[in-house]
Amino acid sequence: QQGAERAEYGKALLKELSAELTDEFGRGFSRSNLEYMRKFYLTYQDRTVQISQVPPAQFLSAKKSQMPSGKLPESRKSQTPSGKSDSPFALGWSQYVFLIAIDNADERRFYEIEAATNSWSLQELKRQFSSGLYERLALSRDKDGVKQLAAEGQLVTRPEDLLKEPYVLEFLGLDEKARYSESELESAIIDKLEHFLLELGKGFLFEARQKRFTFDEEHFFVDLVFFNRLLRCYVLIDLKIGKLSHGDLGQMQMYVNYFDRFVKLEDEAPTVGIVLCKKKQDALVEITLPKDANIHTREYQLYLPDKELLRRKLAEWGDEVAE
């Protein structure tokens, strides 16, 4: 086919080839699988990648005199601007089948890096893709930050790198239209803590819920307390289901101040506060908090977002940056 996506004789050829390979090597060479193999080659022919699955023994023995299974030839390695070859990564075949269906090369590269470095299962990879993780992270970054996402994945070097918009909590199983309290939301998060940690992102360790501290003979409670080992700082999360108020922001400011002065160690970074709410108000945040406040408001939703809508927002954001 000389590199073309399709050819008139392609389907007939694959059907015949499938039958011959199945007769010689056994299962695993259906026409659809051969189509995936071809697309895999076209997608990764300029990079070095590895397939973590072990091919059938018969297939390995038949290929003894050829290149190592799962690796593309050395001549196919792509060169980075610095002249260095891409670092190889290894994923399962089913993960590659899912990834090659992603048309946007930058988005696909991001999910390759994150799936490999975070040991995502196929189910978790699909969930992160469906939740629009790439778009949600990209929308909170500048142009260089978006390029970095595609080239290196999500790097956490400052508090802003932790943030997403919105946070997607569909795994909690709460009905968007049903009434629920902040304590019920908190309990649902604790019940699904592993999923919530994955949604928060890299480096999070859970410390406590309803963390109590006493100041001036009055008790205060922080909804959720985490520590991020990459930033080496406490991350406090306050949950709000109603309309965000300046009192919510002031309360979080007090929590952050208390942890900075009485809880964190000298070699740890300043505490980060996140008010997770149904509807944030940027104007209220801007007028209430000082510019250097280490406090952020982010929305959450209980359903998977519309990926096409996220993509349109990202495209519009890109046009604004280019102007």
Side-chain angles (χ1 to χ4, degrees):
Q1 294 177 215
Q2 298 183 7
E5 286 291 330
R6 299 177 182 275
E8 292 182 6
Y9 59 85
K11 289 187 178 180
L13 175 64
L14 285 179
K15 185 176 181 180
E16 181 180 341
L17 186 60
S18 171
E20 292 180 4
L21 289 172
T22 300
D23 286 343
E24 186 171 355
F25 299 114
R27 296 172 57 187
F29 298 96
S30 64
R31 191 181 76 182
S32 60
N33 240 4
L34 291 181
E35 290 174 347
Y36 288 138
M37 293 175 192
R38 180 179 182 278
K39 192 167 184 179
F40 172 81
Y41 173 77
L42 290 175
T43 302
Y44 295 110
Q45 60 182 312
D46 294 323
R47 297 168 60 190
T48 300
V49 300
Q50 297 176 344
I51 300 173
S52 60
Q53 294 176 203
V54 179
Q58 288 177 307
F59 187 67
L60 279 174
S61 60
K63 293 292 182 180
K64 281 182 179 178
S65 61
Q66 299 186 25
M67 64 182 179
S69 178
K71 290 187 178 181
L72 297 177
E74 290 294 313
S75 61
R76 291 294 188 178
K77 290 183 179 180
S78 66
Q79 299 294 309
T80 63
S82 62
K84 297 180 181 179
S85 299
D86 277 346
S87 299
F89 62 93
L91 293 170
W93 174 245
S94 58
Q95 291 169 308
Y96 283 119
V97 169
F98 180 79
L99 288 166
I100 59 180
I102 301 176
D103 294 329
N104 185 309
D106 289 341
E107 183 180 7
R108 182 174 62 247
R109 177 60 176 157
F110 167 78
Y111 285 112
E112 291 166 1
I113 297 170
E114 293 300 307
T117 57
N118 296 304
S119 300
W120 284 348
S121 64
L122 175 62
Q123 181 180 4
E124 183 59 26
L125 171 60
K126 288 181 175 180
R127 189 263 165 190
Q128 295 288 4
F129 174 79
S130 297
S131 74
L133 177 62
Y134 174 74
E135 292 90 349
R136 289 187 289 137
L137 289 172
L139 284 169
S140 63
R141 283 156 171 75
D142 58 20
K143 187 176 182 180
D144 291 336
V146 175
K147 289 180 180 179
Q148 188 180 54
L149 277 179
E152 304 177 64
Q154 183 188 8
L155 299 180
V156 179
T157 59
R158 55 179 187 156
E160 289 77 10
D161 294 335
L162 300 173
L163 304 176
K164 301 170 186 173
E165 186 70 278
Y167 284 83
V168 177
L169 309 179
E170 94 292 345
F171 51 84
L172 297 181
L174 294 174
D175 190 342
E176 181 72 16
K177 298 179 181 179
R179 285 173 170 251
Y180 58 89
S181 65
E182 289 170 0
S183 62
E184 288 172 331
L185 175 61
E186 179 187 314
S187 294
I189 288 174
I190 295 301
D191 289 342
K192 299 286 187 179
L193 187 58
E194 181 180 358
H195 293 82
F196 188 66
L197 286 169
L198 286 170
E199 175 61 14
L200 286 180
K202 297 180 178 180
F204 277 93
L205 306 173
F206 176 67
E207 178 171 307
R209 66 182 294 192
Q210 290 298 308
K211 179 76 171 182
R212 189 182 82 168
F213 67 90
T214 302
F215 182 75
D216 197 21
E217 299 183 355
E218 188 173 354
H219 300 311
F220 300 93
F221 299 86
V222 185
D223 287 345
L224 300 169
V225 178
F226 297 87
F227 189 84
N228 190 278
R229 62 183 183 85
L230 300 179
L231 295 181
R232 287 190 53 78
C233 71
Y234 280 100
V235 179
L236 313 180
I237 296 182
D238 213 13
L239 304 171
K240 298 298 176 185
I241 62 172
K243 185 177 180 181
L244 183 70
S245 70
H246 67 278
D248 298 328
L249 299 172
Q251 179 176 265
M252 178 56 78
Q253 181 73 73
M254 182 188 65
Y255 292 167
V256 167
N257 289 345
Y258 182 87
F259 268 72
D260 279 344
R261 296 172 188 177
F262 302 109
V263 180
K264 85 175 188 69
L265 303 178
E266 290 185 4
D267 62 339
E268 292 173 347
T271 304
V272 177
I274 300 176
V275 181
L276 202 56
C277 53
K278 286 286 290 181
K279 186 67 176 177
K280 70 173 187 174
Q281 296 172 285
D282 292 328
L284 180 65
V285 174
E286 185 177 349
I287 198 67
T288 303
L289 296 175
K291 291 183 179 180
D292 58 350
N294 216 7
I295 296 172
H296 309 273
T297 60
R298 283 297 184 272
E299 294 181 359
Y300 73 87
Q301 61 186 46
L302 300 174
Y303 54 90
L304 289 173
D306 184 335
K307 275 189 68 70
E308 288 305 316
L309 178 60
L310 284 174
R311 285 170 175 166
R312 287 197 297 271
K313 286 183 178 180
L314 187 57
E316 292 170 1
W317 173 89
D319 293 339
E320 291 175 2
V321 171
E323 290 178 356

